[in-house]
Amino acid sequence: MLLNCHTYFSLRYGTRSVKDLLTEAKQKGYDRFVLADINNTSACVDAVRESTEMDIKVIGGIDFRNGIQQVYVGIAKNNNGFKHLNAWVSQHLHEKKDFDSAAPAMDDVYFIYPLSAYKGQPLSENEFVGVSIDDLKRFAFLKTKPADDKLVALQPATFTNKKSFNAHRLLRAIDVNTVLSKLPANEQASADHIMHEKYIMYGFYSNFPVLIENTERILDTCSLTVEYSKFSNKNLNHYTGTAEGDVEKLRKLVNDGLEYRYENKITDIIQERVERELKIIFDMGFASYFLINWDIVNYARSKNYYYVGRGSGANSFVAFLLRITDVDPIKLDLYFERFINPYRTNPPDFDIDFSWTDRDDITKYIFDTFGKNGNAALLGTYATFQSDAVIRELGKVFGLPPDEIDELQKKRTASKEEKYKQLILNYSNYLHNFPSHISIHASGILISQEPIHTYVSTFLPPKNYPTTHFSMIEAEDIGLYKFDILSQRGLGKIKDTLSIVKENYNIDIDIHDMRHIYEDERIKKALRSGNAIGCFYVESPGMRMLLCKLQADDYLRLVAASSIIRPGVAKSGMMREYILRYRNETKRDEAREKLPELYDILKETYGVMVYQEDVIKVAHMFADLSLAEADYLRRGMSWKFKQRNEFWRVREQFFNNCRKKGCNEKVIEEIWTQIESFANFAFSKGHSASYAVESYQALFLKAYYPIEYMAATLNNGGGFYRSDVYVHEARLYGATIELPCVNKSTGSCCVYGKTIFLGLNMVAELTNHTIELILAARENDGEFKDLPDFTRRVPASVDQVCILIRAGAFKFTGKPKQTLLWDVHMLLSTYKPKPDRELFHVEAAQYELPPLQHHPHDDVFDEMELFGFTRHLPFDMIRGEIPSQLRAADLRNNLGQTVSIVGYLVHVKHTNTSKGDKMFFGTFLDQDGQWIDTVHFPKVAKEFPFTGNGCYLITGKVTFEFDFYSLEVSEQRRLPFFDRDNAKALKKKNDNMKEHSIPTRMKAL
């Protein structure tokens, strides 16, 4: 009797989760129903999966509406009908057009019109008219009625009770952006759209048995079947068109890869690994999946796009040979079964990172190659109502002023007299985590054998690619394996560096040939000292500290470092424990004695869980879980999987198995605590290894081409730090930093020998159009002679030319900025576009100007305003004398002493103690360009907070741990900088300000 049930995926309308709908239908006596959300099929796949455990049948459908005005309900007779419904609703969502009043001619689908829409029109074989409970009051008196065999019961089941109806009204008010009291009746459902008990529903329609019979007949003839998990591979079956062709193609590519990676020096271990992986790949039908990924990266190489393959896919030796990744799993002892194994219930996936400039073209290539027949789509995700946001939205619905909403968000309490605020808090909890709208997964793309609409409907976001109405979880459930195509600016740095080196030195570097890079002494030295600014994730203060403490200079230890710094490992205290055990053999012996069971399993990491794989190892070898159970336990640590009952069953199995083996309860608890404390945050070993590869490649380029690498870093938006840190780093390697020049610069930073000219696109408020005009004029007629020549050839406004002058782009003329600013107003006092070519050149009038005042601080503030930083040393900007001349290098001679030092603030990390108190970790540069690291415990953090960027006088105790010096701060204050109004105070400073001079540590490097 239920032909029109809604979940909360009837967005901003419905009020039930999938689980709630199934439970309610079962409790009220139903054994089947049609799930027909409004213009959406997000819930269908998950509903069918959950219904199998509850012995209830879910039939797929869609409630087609224009706004909330129902046009008709479509019900799929079978999977083919479901595909047609998905395609139909998707077409209208893509084109953003309303549905016509008449349903389309469509096989394997029933269409049901609401009674109010029936005007006597003829109905086809698959069309019916629905009569709701409310319609029964007037049904007998209608003059125009369909034939009896065309009538069905159509009672919408949207709400459970009064509260859920109230929530519906609030959602509708949020959707139409109005206060609740002004919500139009035609923008909300009727309060009687509830799911009645089955016997009550039959009672309502008892006087019209034909409606019941016809409704039951429709339900009898409909079904929706879905195959799940490893038993259903729904991706493109055959890359070459046949299974045999895929096997032949993959074997050839593997052999080519062996020659590239090993120059045919093939050992028995390598050959055995190849055959073992290929057997699993072929047996489980994943050859096409590997070949598609190979196709994508092969296209990227053909376009000179740099990329990194990472994630658990890096555990695959075949992926290494296909150059999908640069991680050698044999070298790292990575087991393939972490990626694919016969017991694993979830699908594999590769994560492939591209430069942020190349990702869009890669996506286009994938859709052009594999999506021509609707077989590709971006993966969707659910944007949900969260606490603060829903309180704000409900506050507006109830008409609260903004300041009261802000207060309510902070306090989260309301007095008995504040009834509206109580309602807001009550319903904010009710609506919390309801889906608000469908968004786009950060990187996932699906490529299926059948059209995507076989499984789900799609919408068309601004990216202009069809995007699924379901998320990664539902896609995995039915065996659709996403292709993760990500972007990061770190790869742009590597790509641009290779390009600059090629252009300047005509040197081609194969950055994917890792054999020699791993053993490079310059890289080893940089790792030991933490000298890795600009080099992907190893440049952060935390990684720099960790590398110094580990004194690690090899690839395997960098792989471990990238995982133990993650929040879970660090928070559990195991990061420090790992360092202790790595550096101290006695600590390793103590750990082995304390938990021999754990130590024996994790010998490589001294008994410390470092990687996600360690969860699987421990669960399988210590708790005797199957590989499938162990992998589910690992995945289950994520909140989104913890909600499923299977996780809690596996957890219970872990404890029960250990107890049956006679393990000590305290030992079981301690090992479980380690698992739970970090598994949700830790990397897979293959993922860490992939990150380490990219870091090694970045370290290699910085070690041999530091100036080019830092220019590329600036061109790609920097990294962990502000741009001025990378300018500073470039100078430490001997670079001269020049402001943009209209004769030398391009949009990006460019390198001439040891000189970096900042890019024109770094100048704030300089438009892309002006930059294009400058470059075009220079390309056509050569360099500019002077400012008048520039204004003749470049049709830019006075404002744009003034910005260029202030940015130093006309320094080549030898004229002061003040003179140039006067000149440009004379030249372009009334700006008018000029023709491309002038027939006659008329010299600009020359004016004799009086001497114009200029101070170096004018340049400083121009640079700060236009670039966000200055090339001048920050210490030269301090007003008055620098109160301490101590340097970072002096700290080692003052261990345990309280000292004062001046540092330029680079970064502050905010964190909380176990008691919830705020504390900070600071990162500064001293006057020699060396690092100062500080710790600010809660009392000091509160009394002496950071008050903005600049130079600080820091007082604290010098501490030392594992070769790493830091200051335990007891006091700090920010030193005042000069400003435009205190030129007199600067007079003494002017003689000391130098544009490019900065101490260099080249000898130390």
Side-chain angles (χ1 to χ4, degrees), residues 85-306:
L85 288 175
N86 283 323
W88 182 243
V89 73
S90 301
Q91 178 184 333
H92 284 72
L93 293 175
H94 290 197
E95 298 175 8
K96 296 180 173 59
K97 68 179 184 180
D98 285 347
F99 296 97
D100 293 334
S101 58
M106 195 174 286
D107 293 336
D108 300 323
V109 172
Y110 293 116
F111 284 108
I112 302 173
Y113 298 97
L115 183 63
S116 60
Y118 182 69
K119 307 300 180 186
Q121 68 269 30
L123 299 172
S124 62
E125 184 180 351
N126 66 332
E127 291 182 322
F128 297 83
V129 173
V131 181
S132 69
I133 293 171
D134 191 52
D135 290 334
L136 291 173
K137 302 171 187 176
R138 58 191 177 89
F139 180 65
F141 305 100
L142 289 177
K143 293 180 179 180
T144 305
K145 294 181 185 178
D148 284 353
D149 63 349
K150 289 297 181 182
L151 291 168
V152 295
L154 186 65
Q155 172 64 15
T158 308
F159 318 119
T160 302
N161 50 35
K162 180 69 179 294
K163 184 170 185 177
S164 65
F165 173 66
N166 291 339
H168 159 79
R169 296 187 69 235
L170 294 172
L171 288 171
R172 297 305 307 136
I174 291 172
D175 190 50
V176 299
N177 194 25
T178 186
V179 293
L180 188 61
S181 60
K182 293 185 178 180
L183 180 66
N186 62 1
E187 282 291 347
Q188 55 187 298
S190 171
D192 69 352
H193 288 180
I194 62 174
M195 183 186 294
H196 298 283
E197 297 277 355
K198 185 177 180 180
Y199 75 90
I200 294 177
M201 276 282 282
Y202 274 81
F204 279 124
Y205 289 96
S206 59
N207 292 332
F208 304 94
V210 68
L211 273 72
I212 298 174
E213 293 170 8
N214 293 339
T215 302
E216 295 292 350
R217 189 178 303 113
I218 285 178
L219 292 171
D220 287 341
T221 56
C222 292
S223 65
L224 180 62
T225 59
V226 184
E227 292 181 327
Y228 291 92
S229 197
K230 67 179 181 180
F231 302 108
S232 174
N233 181 343
K234 293 182 175 64
N235 288 283
L236 182 65
N237 291 342
H238 307 304
Y239 174 80
T240 62
T242 66
E244 295 77 13
D246 284 0
V247 169
E248 183 180 348
K249 177 77 173 178
L250 190 54
R251 278 202 173 275
K252 181 184 184 307
L253 292 173
V254 164
N255 290 332
D256 293 343
L258 287 169
E259 182 177 352
Y260 172 75
R261 296 292 191 185
Y262 296 100
E263 297 174 350
N264 284 330
K265 297 174 183 176
I266 313 301
T267 65
D268 290 343
I269 293 174
I270 291 172
Q271 195 62 51
E272 185 277 330
R273 177 68 177 249
V274 167
E275 293 305 322
R276 178 161 56 89
E277 285 198 18
L278 285 177
K279 184 178 188 307
I280 295 175
I281 292 168
F282 294 147
D283 287 350
M284 297 189 69
F286 290 133
S288 176
Y289 182 68
F290 275 79
L291 289 170
I292 292 171
N293 280 284
W294 166 83
D295 185 290
I296 294 168
V297 299
N298 188 55
Y299 171 76
R301 287 198 304 274
S302 74
K303 302 280 286 186
N304 290 321
Y305 294 163
Y306 183 63

Side-chain angles (χ1 to χ4, degrees), residues 637-921:
M637 292 299 173
S638 168
W639 68 269
K640 58 195 173 191
F641 288 98
K642 251 185 186 178
Q643 298 175 50
R644 295 190 173 182
N645 291 332
E646 293 95 325
F647 168 74
W648 298 106
R649 284 200 292 268
V650 172
R651 179 189 183 280
E652 191 64 29
Q653 190 66 36
F654 179 95
F655 279 87
N656 289 340
N657 286 3
C658 292
R659 288 167 184 146
K660 287 178 184 177
K661 291 172 65 175
C663 296
N664 182 281
E665 192 72 22
K666 187 177 179 182
V667 171
I668 301 172
E669 288 285 351
E670 186 167 344
I671 291 177
W672 176 259
T673 299
Q674 279 200 43
I675 290 175
E676 196 168 37
S677 67
F678 92 99
N680 190 26
F681 299 99
F683 284 163
S684 72
K685 190 175 183 181
H687 193 78
S688 297
S690 304
Y691 272 15
V693 165
E694 183 177 343
S695 295
Y696 258 88
Q697 291 166 331
L699 286 163
F700 172 79
L701 292 175
K702 186 183 176 187
Y704 287 92
Y705 305 98
I707 295 175
E708 290 77 8
Y709 185 76
M710 298 321 298
T713 299
L714 289 168
N715 287 341
N716 286 274
F720 187 87
Y721 305 101
R722 302 184 304 269
S723 295
D724 59 324
V725 175
Y726 302 108
V727 169
H728 164 83
E729 187 76 3
R731 284 197 296 233
L732 289 175
Y733 283 89
T736 299
I737 309 298
E738 291 287 356
L739 294 172
C741 174
V742 293
N743 279 336
K744 298 291 186 184
S745 296
T746 61
S748 304
C749 297
C750 48
V751 180
Y752 297 91
K754 290 193 173 183
T755 300
I756 297 176
F757 279 88
L758 298 181
L760 290 166
N761 59 14
M762 296 181 71
V763 182
E765 299 183 23
L766 187 67
T767 67
N768 289 333
H769 179 62
T770 299
I771 295 172
E772 291 167 2
L773 291 173
I774 293 170
L775 299 181
R778 205 169 73 202
E779 175 72 19
N780 292 332
D781 297 308
E783 294 187 354
F784 303 104
K785 299 174 183 177
D786 49 28
L787 181 60
D789 182 39
F790 180 88
T791 59
R792 280 194 305 272
R793 292 164 52 190
V794 179
S797 68
V798 173
D799 290 342
Q800 289 287 285
V801 181
C802 285
I803 289 171
L804 286 165
I805 291 170
R806 292 177 56 218
F810 291 95
K811 183 181 176 182
F812 74 95
T813 65
K815 287 188 174 184
K817 287 183 183 179
Q818 286 76 5
T819 302
L820 290 169
L821 289 169
W822 182 278
D823 288 346
V824 76
H825 281 86
M826 293 299 101
L827 291 165
L828 299 175
S829 56
T830 304
Y831 171 66
K832 293 180 182 178
K834 298 174 182 172
D836 292 340
R837 298 279 182 177
E838 293 179 307
L839 290 176
F840 302 102
H841 167 53
V842 179
E843 290 290 343
Q846 298 293 320
Y847 300 91
E848 187 173 342
L849 300 174
L852 300 173
Q853 188 178 16
H854 174 76
H855 289 286
H857 69 281
D858 291 327
D859 295 335
V860 170
F861 283 101
D862 279 341
E863 290 174 20
M864 290 294 292
E865 183 179 335
L866 295 174
F867 298 98
F869 62 89
T870 176
R871 297 172 306 145
H872 294 83
L873 299 181
F875 303 96
D876 285 338
M877 298 161 61
I878 296 172
R879 190 188 307 170
E881 296 299 321
I882 298 177
S884 172
Q885 295 300 322
L886 197 72
R887 302 294 201 267
D890 299 325
L891 296 182
R892 64 182 63 248
N893 300 322
N894 291 277
L895 184 60
Q897 303 298 312
T898 298
V899 300
S900 293
I901 190 170
V902 174
Y904 174 59
L905 180 62
V906 171
H907 180 71
V908 180
K909 180 182 178 182
H910 302 255
T911 187
N912 293 321
T913 66
S914 57
K915 296 180 180 179
D917 298 323
K918 290 183 179 180
M919 64 175 293
F920 308 122
F921 294 94

